[in-house]
Each structure stands twice: as C-alpha cells, then as structure tokens.
C-alpha cells in the first residue's frame, strides 16, 4: 500500500497551523497571561438550548472550558488563556467539526470592549501586517475595526426587525442566511449588543438591559469568536441556566445536571470579560482554506 | 423517516410526492444559535434545482425507488445509454442527470440505475473506479516530499489533484463519492 497521500499532502497547512498556535501562545504569554489546562471530561456543561454535549460515561465532554476557567477567576487568578478541544454533538459542515480546537481567554477587571482590542491586536500579531488575502479577497485589518450593533445589522441587511425575528424564532436564521453573507468582505466586523435572550452567560448593558454586552467577530463572512462581559450575578445565572434547561427538556433534548460548584463559587468571581475563538477557522482564514477539513489532519470520516 | 442529522449529499427524499436528491449540502450554525441544514435539491423527475434550508427537528420521507442492475454501453447524441442485463431493455440518462458521475463511467461497467416507472432518473456507481492518467506534468526531479500534488486529467476528461509521483499512463483509483484520488493501481 502506498503512503496515505490524503494525509501527506496536508503537511504545509499543518506546519502553518503549528506556527499560528505557537504565535497565539507567545501573544498571550508576552502579556503575562497564564496558560492553563482544565479537564475536557466534566460532570456538567453550561446548559444551552442549541448546544448538545457528547456524553462520556456518566459525564460529558466539554462543549467549552468556560465554567472551569471562571472558577479559576473566582479563585483569584488574573488573566488566563487556554487552548483545548471542545465537542459539540451533531455539528459537521464546511466550517464545523464535532471535535474542534478552541482558544479562550479571560481578563478580570475589564469589559467586552477590551476583548475587541485584543482581537485586533491578535490578528495584527499573526499577520505581521494590516491586511490579509482570503479567497482572492483583500481584507483591511487596520484598527479600529468597524463595530456594528445587531440592531444596525438587521436594519441594513435583514427583511425584518430584531424583535420580529425573535418573536418568530428566526433570529439565528436571519443572522446566518441574511446578515452573514452581506457583511463587508473587505473589513472584519465586530457584531455587538445581542438581544438579552441570546446571551445566557453575558452581563446585560446597565444603560439598556434589553441587550447583552456580547459581540461576535466576523472576518470574510466567517464567525470567528464570541465574547462577553461575564455575568457574575449568581442568582441571575442560576435562573438563566434553569430557563435554558427547561427549553431543552421541552424540546425533548437531554437534560444536564446542575453546575453546582460553578454557581456556588460565582459570587467570588470579579467583573471580567471572556472570549472563545475557533482556532480551526482562524487557520482557514490565515492559510486561505475554504473548508475546515483542510486544516486538521483527520476529519471524523477519515478515522 | 430521516432526521436532519441524516441529510447529506446524495440522499434521496420524497418532497411533495416527487423524489428529490440532495446535490449540495452544508451544515451551518451560529456558535450559540440554532443549526441550519442547507440543501440544494434536484427534483429527479423534472430536473428542477432549488435551495431549501431545514431546521433541527424536521423529518423527511425517504424516496424509495426501484434500482436496477444495468451495464453502461456508450454515449451518443441522446445521452448515456445503459442496458438491463436480464431484459436487454435500454435506458438513457442525460448528461445533466449524471452530473460529475459521467466522468466515472467505463464501457461495460455495472451500475445501479434508479428507476421512476420506465424512466432512469439516477445512478449509483461503484465506490471506486480505475481510470488512466492521460495528461499530467512530469515529475520534477528533487521533488521528494510525499505530500506534494499536481493536477492530472484522466481518460474521461476528468481533472483532479494527484500525488506528484503519478505519471502519464498510470492507472489510478478514484473514489467516486468524493471525486478524489485514492491510490495507484498495480498492473
């Protein structure tokens, strides 16, 4: 049998990927972030209606390291980051893998605006310039990147208002099918101020509690990162978890055990901002790949 | 019944009474949001192409159609001609119906033809076919990296990426489900 060429030919992209991951580490370590590792098999994830965890014995594989990282913040850790694998059941497409690599970082004493600056600085560090070419399209990365609120995006690109889409249960669909494809192709977009109902772990804006301090980073129409000012109100977090849990059960989805230790320790957590960024998609963007399959050695289908 | 997680390219569904095949498929989902299953479908009777997006929780009726063992004979101005080996009955499939599958047909190859009444509306190929490379740039001396690739054209006119060590005249195996190079064939 000849060597597996489908694997061998991925080497140049995997070399690039390794350099990107090393540069990400250097970016955070240079700023005195502590790199941490938390278990990937856990008793409970944060319950979210649209995210399904993969069971592993009596426990689950993590859908995100969020709860463990926040417990570290509550224990007094400062700036922390982690690169880890996350699992989300049933997610497979040209930009989705059921097992993928996530970068998460948290900054105590900051809000989500600080994370927007971080995203700008990280991309600048990874590209060594203020532009990027993806699929023959030049993207201007010079700072500051445009900020666009969800309300503005709906009025520019959608056939309905945010409120109408929420009432009809079409919010995500409008974002995916109408707004994402129309976001400017030549600039990153920071899509901000999500409706309160669309941010289970985010703090609401004090001056306008109908929206959450949440943003998503889009580059080349691709959702790269999701960030918020973290909710540190234990009572409110507990109520939101219960409401997501009720939605899950009402839809016939698996229920999850309560994240009791996280909720108990949450009152000790300082005000903080946290963000999750998909490493596979970042590698796609920086290496010009059109499919997530091209930036990992093994897709599930090749195992 | 199929659920959304069964949807993939090539799956055949009954929609409004007609058999349809998924010709393009992608899963998309905002990180925190609802999953969308985006399909390009072809009505297997009329040939009409259209896009449709499904959401988790929806279910689908499989299109159960008769499949018949046939042999590929030849291509002429009417299309691609196949013959039922028991009844000697002939069926013609259009180029449009075959899509890229037309590149993987070899004379006398046995295939399954999907029937709607007396009309052939689809084909199931063997998973792998062997085709000879008719054009490819020569191997560059010193290029020893196992992962390097280059374009090559095979006898049916199909162009694909192959490892750099594959030369003109080499018989290669192609995976008909992905259209990708699999391996060289020992002769």
């Amino acid at each position: 049998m000849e060597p597996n060429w489908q694997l061998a030919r991925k080497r140049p992209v995997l070399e690039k990927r390794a350099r990107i991951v090393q540069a990400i580490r250097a970016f955070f370590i240079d700023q005195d972030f502590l790199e941490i590792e938390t278990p990937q098999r856990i008793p409970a994830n944060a319950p979210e209606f649209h995210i399904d965890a993969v069971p592993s014995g009596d426990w689950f594989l993590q859908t995100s390291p969020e709860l463990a990282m926040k417990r570290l913040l509550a224990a007094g850790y400062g700036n922390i980051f982690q690169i880890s694998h996350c699992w989300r059941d049933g997610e497979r497409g040209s930009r989705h893998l059921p097992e993928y690599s996530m970068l998460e970082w948290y900054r105590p004493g900051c809000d989500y605006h600080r994370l927007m600056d971080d995203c700008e600085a990280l991309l600048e560090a990874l590209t060594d310039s203020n532009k990027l070419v993806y699929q023959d399209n030049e993207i201007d990365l010079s700072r500051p990147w445009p900020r666009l609120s969800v309300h503005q995006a709906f009025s520019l690109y959608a056939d309905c208002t945010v409120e109408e889409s929420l009432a009809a249960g079409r919010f995500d669909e409008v974002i995916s099918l109408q707004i994402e494809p129309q976001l400017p192709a030549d600039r990153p977009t920071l899509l901000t101020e999500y409706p309160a109902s669309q941010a289970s772990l985010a703090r609401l804006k004090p001056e306008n509690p109908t929206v959450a301090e949440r943003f998503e980073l889009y580059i080349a129409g691709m959702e790269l990162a999701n960030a918020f000012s973290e909710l540190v109100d234990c009572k409110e977090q507990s109520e939101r978890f219960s409401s997501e849990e009720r939605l899950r059960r009402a839809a016939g989805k698996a229920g999850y055990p309560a994240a009791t230790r996280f909720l108990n320790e949450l009152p000790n957590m300082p005000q903080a901002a946290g963000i999750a960024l998909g490493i596979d998609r970042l590698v796609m963007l920086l290496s010009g790949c059109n499919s997530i399959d091209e930036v990992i050695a093994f897709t599930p289908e090749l195992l | 019944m199929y659920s959304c997680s069964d949807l993939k390219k090539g799956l055949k569904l009954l929609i409004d009474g007609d058999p349809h095949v998924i010709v393009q498929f992608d899963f998309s989902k905002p990180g925190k949001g609802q999953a969308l299953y985006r399909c390009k479908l072809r009505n297997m009777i009329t040939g009409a192409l259209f896009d449709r997006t499904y959401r988790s929780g929806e279910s689908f009726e499989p299109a159960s159609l008769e499949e018949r063992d046939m042999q590929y004979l030849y291509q002429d101005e009417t299309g691609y001609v196949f013959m039922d080996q028991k009844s000697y009955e002939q069926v013609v499939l259009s180029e449009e119906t075959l899509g890229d599958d037309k590149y993987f047909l070899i004379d006398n190859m046995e295939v399954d033809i999907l029937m709607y009444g007396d009309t052939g509306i689809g084909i199931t190929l063997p998973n792998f076919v062997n085709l000879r490379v008719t054009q490819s740039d020569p191997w560059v001396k010193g290029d020893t990296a196992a992962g390097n690739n280059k374009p090559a054209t095979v006898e049916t006119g199909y162009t694909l990426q192959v490892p750099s060590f594959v030369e003109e005249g080499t018989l290669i195996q192609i995976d008909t489900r992905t259209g990708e190079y699999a391996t060289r064939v020992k002769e």
Side-chain angles (χ1 to χ4, degrees):
Chain A
M1 210 178 145
E2 68 186 46
N4 186 330
W5 174 72
Q6 308 290 0
L7 280 180
R9 70 172 167 166
K10 287 182 170 174
R11 182 164 182 130
V13 177
L14 296 184
E15 285 173 355
K16 171 108 187 169
R17 179 184 177 114
R19 286 194 298 273
I20 292 167
V21 172
Q22 287 151 15
I24 292 171
R25 284 211 158 85
F27 175 85
F28 286 104
I29 291 165
D30 283 352
Q31 297 180 68
D32 286 328
F33 272 73
L34 177 65
E35 177 169 12
I36 48 147
E37 293 178 76
T38 60
Q40 302 185 0
R41 186 173 167 272
I42 56 176
N45 283 288
E48 295 195 62
F49 182 45
H50 291 302
I51 298 178
D52 297 326
V54 178
S56 170
D58 292 339
W59 286 9
F60 297 91
L61 299 178
Q62 66 174 1
T63 57
S64 142
E66 182 161 5
L67 300 188
M69 292 185 78
K70 287 182 177 174
R71 288 182 65 189
L72 288 168
L73 295 181
Y77 283 72
N79 292 341
I80 50 174
F81 80 101
Q82 172 160 216
I83 293 172
S84 64
H85 279 210
C86 295
W87 287 260
R88 295 187 179 184
D89 198 25
E91 301 196 7
R92 181 74 179 103
S94 59
R95 292 172 182 178
H96 286 85
L97 287 166
E99 175 179 358
Y100 65 102
S101 294
M102 187 100 105
L103 161 68
E104 288 212 12
W105 74 94
Y106 287 84
R107 281 188 182 272
C110 297
D111 70 11
Y112 68 144
H113 293 288
R114 184 68 176 84
L115 300 174
M116 298 186 202
D117 303 341
D118 281 343
C119 289
E120 291 170 340
L122 177 64
L123 263 288
E124 192 173 277
L126 295 176
T127 53
D128 286 325
S129 80
N130 58 5
K131 60 173 185 278
L132 170 70
V133 176
Y134 181 71
Q135 308 274 313
D136 296 328
N137 184 30
E138 192 172 297
I139 302 159
D140 173 8
L141 297 174
S142 53
R143 305 195 215 175
W145 294 346
R147 274 78 167 152
L148 182 73
S149 76
V150 167
H151 266 91
Q152 288 169 325
F154 269 72
S155 60
L156 283 172
Y157 305 123
D159 65 2
C160 59
T161 65
V162 176
E163 292 70 25
E164 286 164 356
S165 78
L166 289 170
R170 292 180 60 225
F171 178 79
D172 297 315
E173 192 182 314
V174 174
I175 295 263
S176 295
L177 302 181
Q178 298 181 25
I179 295 175
E180 272 182 27
Q182 294 189 78
L183 291 174
D186 59 347
R187 289 285 276 158
T189 301
L190 294 159
L191 192 61
T192 69
E193 331 298 53
Y194 276 68
S197 62
Q198 305 300 309
S200 163
L201 292 117
R203 181 176 82 188
L204 302 183
K205 238 177 144 58
E207 65 274 24
N208 176 10
T210 65
V211 297
E213 293 189 352
R214 170 182 169 198
F215 75 86
E216 294 248 7
L217 166 61
Y218 285 91
I219 304 183
M222 188 144 61
E223 178 196 347
L224 271 188
N226 175 58
F228 9 90
S229 305
E230 302 295 347
L231 177 65
V232 291
D233 182 326
C234 169
K235 186 165 167 286
E236 189 176 343
Q237 185 66 81
S238 174
E239 282 164 10
R240 288 199 206 168
F241 276 1
S242 308
S243 113
E244 292 285 325
E245 229 359 69
R246 274 195 302 276
L247 283 173
R248 289 191 62 83
R249 288 171 199 252
K253 294 182 167 213
Y256 297 133
T260 314
R261 288 207 165 106
F262 163 75
L263 289 168
N264 288 344
E265 293 169 17
L266 191 57
N268 295 326
M269 184 173 141
Q271 258 326 312
I275 177 164
L277 183 150
I279 292 196
D280 309 282
R281 291 189 192 170
L282 181 66
V283 176
M284 285 171 68
L285 189 72
L286 297 176
S287 55
C289 295
N290 199 23
S291 160
I292 204 164
D293 296 19
E294 297 170 46
V295 301
I296 52 163
F298 294 96
T299 59
E301 296 79 12
L302 290 178
L303 289 172
Chain B
M1 295 295 270
Y2 293 126
S3 72
C4 277
S5 56
D6 298 313
L7 297 177
K8 61 176 185 191
K9 190 178 162 187
L11 192 74
K12 297 172 185 84
L13 310 171
L14 205 61
I15 302 171
D16 303 328
D18 277 359
H20 288 69
V21 61
I22 301 176
V23 292
Q24 267 177 39
F25 172 76
D26 201 11
F27 168 91
S28 77
K29 178 181 184 299
K32 300 274 182 196
Q34 188 187 17
L36 297 173
Y37 301 80
R38 303 166 76 169
C39 301
K40 188 180 277 297
L41 292 149
R42 194 180 70 227
N43 182 315
M44 299 180 77
I45 312 296
T46 65
L49 279 171
F50 57 96
D51 294 314
R52 198 168 277 189
T53 299
Y54 297 105
R55 287 143 206 86
S56 15
E58 295 192 63
S59 59
F60 311 89
E61 203 176 329
S64 53
L65 296 163
E66 185 200 358
E67 276 198 319
R68 280 161 64 178
D69 289 342
M70 297 220 180
Q71 190 176 36
Y72 172 59
L73 296 182
Y74 54 84
Q75 182 204 0
D76 64 15
E77 64 279 3
T78 63
Y80 294 77
V81 183
F82 299 84
M83 185 178 69
D84 186 317
Q85 288 171 280
K86 289 195 203 89
S87 66
Y88 303 109
E89 189 185 335
Q90 291 190 3
V91 164
V92 180
L93 261 65
S94 71
E95 189 165 346
E96 199 185 12
T97 304
L98 285 172
D100 274 354
D101 286 348
K102 71 180 179 195
Y103 292 119
F104 306 131
L105 289 173
I106 299 169
D107 289 353
N108 304 320
M109 175 192 260
E110 286 182 27
V111 297
D112 287 333
I113 298 291
L114 204 62
M115 301 299 294
Y116 184 75
D118 292 334
T119 314
I121 56 171
I123 187 169
T124 307
L125 293 168
N127 289 344
F128 295 97
V129 294
N130 297 339
L131 290 167
R132 198 169 298 282
V133 175
T134 52
Q135 199 282 317
S136 192
D137 291 336
W139 177 67
V140 181
K141 213 169 179 178
D143 179 3
T144 51
N148 285 1
N149 55 36
K150 60 176 186 178
T153 305
V154 295
E155 55 193 295
T156 54
Y158 181 66
T159 299
L160 75 171
Q161 290 289 318
V162 299
S164 52
F165 54 72
V166 170
E167 292 167 0
E168 271 182 26
T170 307
L171 191 63
I172 61 169
Q173 192 176 70
I174 298 174
D175 187 327
T176 61
R177 295 159 296 184
T178 59
E180 290 188 352
Y181 168 88
T183 182
R184 279 180 296 188
V185 180
K186 279 212 180 87
E187 291 184 85

